[in-house]
Structures are given as C-alpha cells and as structure tokens.
Amino acid sequence: MSGQKILVTGGAGYIGSHACVELLQENYDVIVIDNLSNSKSESLTRVEKITAKSLTFIQADIRDKQALSDIFTTHDIYAVMHFAGLKAVGESCLQPIRYYQNNVYGTLVLTEVMEEFGVKKIIFSSSATVYGEPDTVKYSEDLPVYGATNPYGKSKAMIEEILKDLAQADTLSNASNPWEIILLRYFNPIGAHISGLIGEDPNGIPNNLIPYVSQVAVGKLEQLSVFGGDYPTIDGTGVRDYIHVVDLVKGHLRALDSLGSISGCKAYNLGAGKGYSVLEIIAAFERITGQTIPYEIVDRRTGDIAENYADPSLALRELSWQTEKKLDDMVADTWRWQSQNPNGYE
C-alpha cells in the first residue's frame, strides 16, 4: 500500500536501485541502507531523477546493529527488501569468510533488529544457486535446497534456512505477530532501466556474461571468452534463463502486495521459464548494437552445467507475476545504459 515505509538494504546496488524506482513509482516511502562497498550513491541520485521523488539514504553496514536500530527507531518501517550482500561466485571461493560474515551474519543482525522492533515482514534476494546441480534442467521450488557449489550460493542457502527457522519458531509458539517471509530465487538478471540512467556497474572486470559482452561492445574489453562449446545444447554453449531486471523487481512488488495475506515462509522462482545460449546472446547483441563481438571458445569452467532455467509457474499462480520483456528488450536496455555510461557511474 502506498505511503508505507520500506527499508531497502543494498538499495544503491544494481537490483536494489531498480527496486527503489518501482517502489517510489508505486508511492511507497523508501529508506535505503547501503555501505557502498560494491555500489555508488550516484545510482540513488539518478533514481530520484527518474521518479521525480526523494528517498532517504543512510550509508551504513547491515552488520552495524546500532545503525539499524537507529533506522527502526526513526522510521515506522512496514517491511524490508533485503538485497545487501556480496555476490561474485569466483570471489566467494577465494574469500569464503568474507562472504559468510557479510551475507549470513549481516542477515542475522538485520533479523535480530527487526524482531526487536516487531517488524517481521521481509522479502529476501535469494538465488537459483541454492538448488546446486539437480538432475533436471527445469528448476521448480519443490527441488531440495542443498548442494550449492560455492560459498556465495551456500550463503544464500544458509540465509534461507535461518529465515525458515524464524517462521517455524513463530508457528510453534503461536506468535501473535508471526514472521511473513518471501524468498525470491533469481535466475540471471540483466538489462537496465529504459531511461539509460541506472544499470549494472560492476567493480573491475565483470563476472557475468551480459556486462562483459556490453563492455566488449563498447570497446572497454577486447574479447569474450566463451567457456565450453561442446555442451549438449542447441549450439554447444551453455544455456541460461535471463530475466530483465525491471521484470525482476516487479516480482518484488507483487511479493510485497502478498505480505499480510501469508504467514510463514514461501519461496518463488523469478525467471523467464526459458533459456538462451551464450551464442544466442552474442548474436542478439550484434544485431541490436551493430557492433561485432569478438569471442573465443575456451575450456569449460569447473562447476558449470549445460543448461538450466526456471519453472516460474508458482509465481504466476500465487503472485500474479510473469516476465514481460523479451531478449531484445534486455539487450537494447543494457546497451543504452552501457553506451551512455561507458564508465558506469564514474
């Protein structure tokens, strides 16, 4: 409902900033907490420009209990959208303690403060990595959550377990104000706001395919390495489910609408329900940008699988949500952001 205050953790980041746009446009009051370790406050300035509305920004870490307590003391928070977290798979393998400390401990501090203030509505930014490597290419929510292959994925799975336990404890005790928790398992968010003002601005060399391809297209990087060309897929390259970031954050708004009518903890996949190969992505970029994308097929990466995509039917059924944007929209919006902001927010 409009006018309610939503705390957005990690709100200056890629997905968080797009969520702020949608929340402001639906007349929510937005309070952002972000430590800016992997984001820029400029994104929030641009969110205000896009929406012609203002938000409240507090630069702090979610592990800082006093900073969180001050926010809940000052603001009558209705619910939390929890995006704050480190998210680079490769980096997590090299710095596991940092990932568990930031992602898992940060969530423990956040939920502790929420409980103290009686604010027990949270939408958590989870990931399809929690499924590990099941023996199926189509992932549905009833798959067991185990076997994540890296500390990043494991941190998301751990947080899911913590949140499920919170909800279960309230069920056992017949709490008068029970936790209402929605876990949103993302597949591969890409794209940018149609204005070109906000988008993905990764630190250093991008870990993900789309920002890497777009930096090749804009001339920042020389060529793309395609990991594996001999998978049992349409063209031998890996197939993944890509979802436009605006579709993704609209899923959060539909989840927010459903808070108040659920109790306990519910998980939903947010994906398109179909996959695109790496070569299909490259072809779409070349078609839309008019640029040639030089690439080289190299050895497979350890832990990569041939193909996966979401079964998004539960989100359609229970949240009335489905993706609207097509691959060409994702690529065109990515390119608009990248070409207008070759150095990101710098």
PDB file of all heavy atoms in Angstrom, residues 148-163:
ATOM      1  N   ALA A 148      24.712 -26.315  -3.101  1.00  0.00           N
ATOM      2  CA  ALA A 148      25.299 -25.147  -3.770  1.00  0.00           C
ATOM      3  C   ALA A 148      26.798 -25.380  -3.898  1.00  0.00           C
ATOM      4  O   ALA A 148      27.432 -25.923  -2.990  1.00  0.00           O
ATOM      5  CB  ALA A 148      25.017 -23.879  -2.968  1.00  0.00           C
ATOM      6  N   THR A 149      27.371 -24.987  -5.031  1.00  0.00           N
ATOM      7  CA  THR A 149      28.738 -25.399  -5.350  1.00  0.00           C
ATOM      8  C   THR A 149      29.794 -24.359  -4.983  1.00  0.00           C
ATOM      9  O   THR A 149      30.960 -24.535  -5.293  1.00  0.00           O
ATOM     10  CB  THR A 149      28.848 -25.710  -6.854  1.00  0.00           C
ATOM     11  OG1 THR A 149      28.421 -24.556  -7.594  1.00  0.00           O
ATOM     12  CG2 THR A 149      27.983 -26.896  -7.229  1.00  0.00           C
ATOM     13  N   ASN A 150      29.391 -23.265  -4.323  1.00  0.00           N
ATOM     14  CA  ASN A 150      30.360 -22.221  -3.967  1.00  0.00           C
ATOM     15  C   ASN A 150      29.860 -21.487  -2.731  1.00  0.00           C
ATOM     16  O   ASN A 150      28.668 -21.543  -2.397  1.00  0.00           O
ATOM     17  CB  ASN A 150      30.553 -21.249  -5.145  1.00  0.00           C
ATOM     18  CG  ASN A 150      29.225 -20.683  -5.613  1.00  0.00           C
ATOM     19  OD1 ASN A 150      28.632 -19.840  -4.965  1.00  0.00           O
ATOM     20  ND2 ASN A 150      28.740 -21.187  -6.750  1.00  0.00           N
ATOM     21  N   PRO A 151      30.760 -20.786  -2.018  1.00  0.00           N
ATOM     22  CA  PRO A 151      30.347 -20.102  -0.788  1.00  0.00           C
ATOM     23  C   PRO A 151      29.251 -19.053  -0.998  1.00  0.00           C
ATOM     24  O   PRO A 151      28.414 -18.853  -0.110  1.00  0.00           O
ATOM     25  CB  PRO A 151      31.647 -19.464  -0.288  1.00  0.00           C
ATOM     26  CG  PRO A 151      32.712 -20.389  -0.796  1.00  0.00           C
ATOM     27  CD  PRO A 151      32.236 -20.817  -2.161  1.00  0.00           C
ATOM     28  N   TYR A 152      29.234 -18.394  -2.154  1.00  0.00           N
ATOM     29  CA  TYR A 152      28.149 -17.440  -2.424  1.00  0.00           C
ATOM     30  C   TYR A 152      26.803 -18.153  -2.359  1.00  0.00           C
ATOM     31  O   TYR A 152      25.884 -17.751  -1.634  1.00  0.00           O
ATOM     32  CB  TYR A 152      28.334 -16.775  -3.790  1.00  0.00           C
ATOM     33  CG  TYR A 152      27.064 -16.152  -4.309  1.00  0.00           C
ATOM     34  CD1 TYR A 152      26.548 -14.994  -3.727  1.00  0.00           C
ATOM     35  CD2 TYR A 152      26.345 -16.739  -5.357  1.00  0.00           C
ATOM     36  CE1 TYR A 152      25.353 -14.446  -4.175  1.00  0.00           C
ATOM     37  CE2 TYR A 152      25.163 -16.192  -5.810  1.00  0.00           C
ATOM     38  CZ  TYR A 152      24.667 -15.050  -5.214  1.00  0.00           C
ATOM     39  OH  TYR A 152      23.481 -14.508  -5.656  1.00  0.00           O
ATOM     40  N   GLY A 153      26.657 -19.238  -3.134  1.00  0.00           N
ATOM     41  CA  GLY A 153      25.409 -19.989  -3.146  1.00  0.00           C
ATOM     42  C   GLY A 153      25.086 -20.580  -1.787  1.00  0.00           C
ATOM     43  O   GLY A 153      23.925 -20.585  -1.351  1.00  0.00           O
ATOM     44  N   LYS A 154      26.120 -21.070  -1.097  1.00  0.00           N
ATOM     45  CA  LYS A 154      25.906 -21.636   0.235  1.00  0.00           C
ATOM     46  C   LYS A 154      25.419 -20.564   1.212  1.00  0.00           C
ATOM     47  O   LYS A 154      24.587 -20.847   2.080  1.00  0.00           O
ATOM     48  CB  LYS A 154      27.198 -22.279   0.747  1.00  0.00           C
ATOM     49  CG  LYS A 154      27.569 -23.563   0.003  1.00  0.00           C
ATOM     50  CD  LYS A 154      28.939 -24.063   0.436  1.00  0.00           C
ATOM     51  CE  LYS A 154      29.379 -25.257  -0.422  1.00  0.00           C
ATOM     52  NZ  LYS A 154      30.764 -25.674  -0.108  1.00  0.00           N
ATOM     53  N   SER A 155      25.935 -19.348   1.079  1.00  0.00           N
ATOM     54  CA  SER A 155      25.489 -18.272   1.985  1.00  0.00           C
ATOM     55  C   SER A 155      24.006 -17.974   1.765  1.00  0.00           C
ATOM     56  O   SER A 155      23.261 -17.747   2.724  1.00  0.00           O
ATOM     57  CB  SER A 155      26.340 -17.007   1.804  1.00  0.00           C
ATOM     58  OG  SER A 155      26.010 -16.287   0.626  1.00  0.00           O
ATOM     59  N   LYS A 156      23.564 -18.008   0.509  1.00  0.00           N
ATOM     60  CA  LYS A 156      22.139 -17.785   0.221  1.00  0.00           C
ATOM     61  C   LYS A 156      21.296 -18.921   0.812  1.00  0.00           C
ATOM     62  O   LYS A 156      20.226 -18.679   1.388  1.00  0.00           O
ATOM     63  CB  LYS A 156      21.912 -17.687  -1.284  1.00  0.00           C
ATOM     64  CG  LYS A 156      22.510 -16.444  -1.947  1.00  0.00           C
ATOM     65  CD  LYS A 156      21.777 -15.184  -1.548  1.00  0.00           C
ATOM     66  CE  LYS A 156      22.238 -13.978  -2.368  1.00  0.00           C
ATOM     67  NZ  LYS A 156      21.586 -12.717  -1.935  1.00  0.00           N
ATOM     68  N   ALA A 157      21.768 -20.159   0.647  1.00  0.00           N
ATOM     69  CA  ALA A 157      21.030 -21.306   1.186  1.00  0.00           C
ATOM     70  C   ALA A 157      20.969 -21.245   2.720  1.00  0.00           C
ATOM     71  O   ALA A 157      19.931 -21.553   3.324  1.00  0.00           O
ATOM     72  CB  ALA A 157      21.680 -22.610   0.729  1.00  0.00           C
ATOM     73  N   MET A 158      22.082 -20.843   3.353  1.00  0.00           N
ATOM     74  CA  MET A 158      22.104 -20.712   4.817  1.00  0.00           C
ATOM     75  C   MET A 158      21.084 -19.678   5.288  1.00  0.00           C
ATOM     76  O   MET A 158      20.358 -19.889   6.265  1.00  0.00           O
ATOM     77  CB  MET A 158      23.501 -20.312   5.297  1.00  0.00           C
ATOM     78  CG  MET A 158      24.532 -21.414   5.243  1.00  0.00           C
ATOM     79  SD  MET A 158      26.141 -20.759   5.776  1.00  0.00           S
ATOM     80  CE  MET A 158      27.196 -22.139   5.353  1.00  0.00           C
ATOM     81  N   ILE A 159      21.051 -18.549   4.580  1.00  0.00           N
ATOM     82  CA  ILE A 159      20.108 -17.492   4.967  1.00  0.00           C
ATOM     83  C   ILE A 159      18.670 -17.985   4.816  1.00  0.00           C
ATOM     84  O   ILE A 159      17.821 -17.732   5.680  1.00  0.00           O
ATOM     85  CB  ILE A 159      20.349 -16.218   4.127  1.00  0.00           C
ATOM     86  CG1 ILE A 159      21.713 -15.607   4.485  1.00  0.00           C
ATOM     87  CG2 ILE A 159      19.232 -15.190   4.358  1.00  0.00           C
ATOM     88  CD1 ILE A 159      22.198 -14.558   3.508  1.00  0.00           C
ATOM     89  N   GLU A 160      18.406 -18.709   3.728  1.00  0.00           N
ATOM     90  CA  GLU A 160      17.064 -19.282   3.559  1.00  0.00           C
ATOM     91  C   GLU A 160      16.709 -20.163   4.758  1.00  0.00           C
ATOM     92  O   GLU A 160      15.585 -20.103   5.279  1.00  0.00           O
ATOM     93  CB  GLU A 160      16.975 -20.091   2.264  1.00  0.00           C
ATOM     94  CG  GLU A 160      16.873 -19.258   1.000  1.00  0.00           C
ATOM     95  CD  GLU A 160      16.260 -20.043  -0.154  1.00  0.00           C
ATOM     96  OE1 GLU A 160      15.781 -21.177   0.071  1.00  0.00           O
ATOM     97  OE2 GLU A 160      16.248 -19.523  -1.280  1.00  0.00           O
ATOM     98  N   GLU A 161      17.649 -20.999   5.201  1.00  0.00           N
ATOM     99  CA  GLU A 161      17.380 -21.890   6.331  1.00  0.00           C
ATOM    100  C   GLU A 161      17.110 -21.095   7.602  1.00  0.00           C
ATOM    101  O   GLU A 161      16.215 -21.433   8.387  1.00  0.00           O
ATOM    102  CB  GLU A 161      18.551 -22.856   6.540  1.00  0.00           C
ATOM    103  CG  GLU A 161      18.713 -23.888   5.434  1.00  0.00           C
ATOM    104  CD  GLU A 161      17.470 -24.736   5.230  1.00  0.00           C
ATOM    105  OE1 GLU A 161      16.857 -25.174   6.228  1.00  0.00           O
ATOM    106  OE2 GLU A 161      17.079 -24.949   4.065  1.00  0.00           O
ATOM    107  N   ILE A 162      17.877 -20.040   7.825  1.00  0.00           N
ATOM    108  CA  ILE A 162      17.669 -19.183   9.005  1.00  0.00           C
ATOM    109  C   ILE A 162      16.267 -18.579   8.974  1.00  0.00           C
ATOM    110  O   ILE A 162      15.539 -18.591   9.977  1.00  0.00           O
ATOM    111  CB  ILE A 162      18.745 -18.068   9.047  1.00  0.00           C
ATOM    112  CG1 ILE A 162      20.126 -18.666   9.371  1.00  0.00           C
ATOM    113  CG2 ILE A 162      18.372 -16.990  10.059  1.00  0.00           C
ATOM    114  CD1 ILE A 162      21.293 -17.730   9.077  1.00  0.00           C
ATOM    115  N   LEU A 163      15.871 -18.068   7.811  1.00  0.00           N
ATOM    116  CA  LEU A 163      14.558 -17.428   7.697  1.00  0.00           C
ATOM    117  C   LEU A 163      13.425 -18.450   7.862  1.00  0.00           C
ATOM    118  O   LEU A 163      12.405 -18.166   8.495  1.00  0.00           O
ATOM    119  CB  LEU A 163      14.452 -16.697   6.361  1.00  0.00           C
ATOM    120  CG  LEU A 163      15.414 -15.502   6.192  1.00  0.00           C
ATOM    121  CD1 LEU A 163      15.337 -14.926   4.781  1.00  0.00           C
ATOM    122  CD2 LEU A 163      15.134 -14.408   7.228  1.00  0.00           C
TER     123      LEU A 163
END
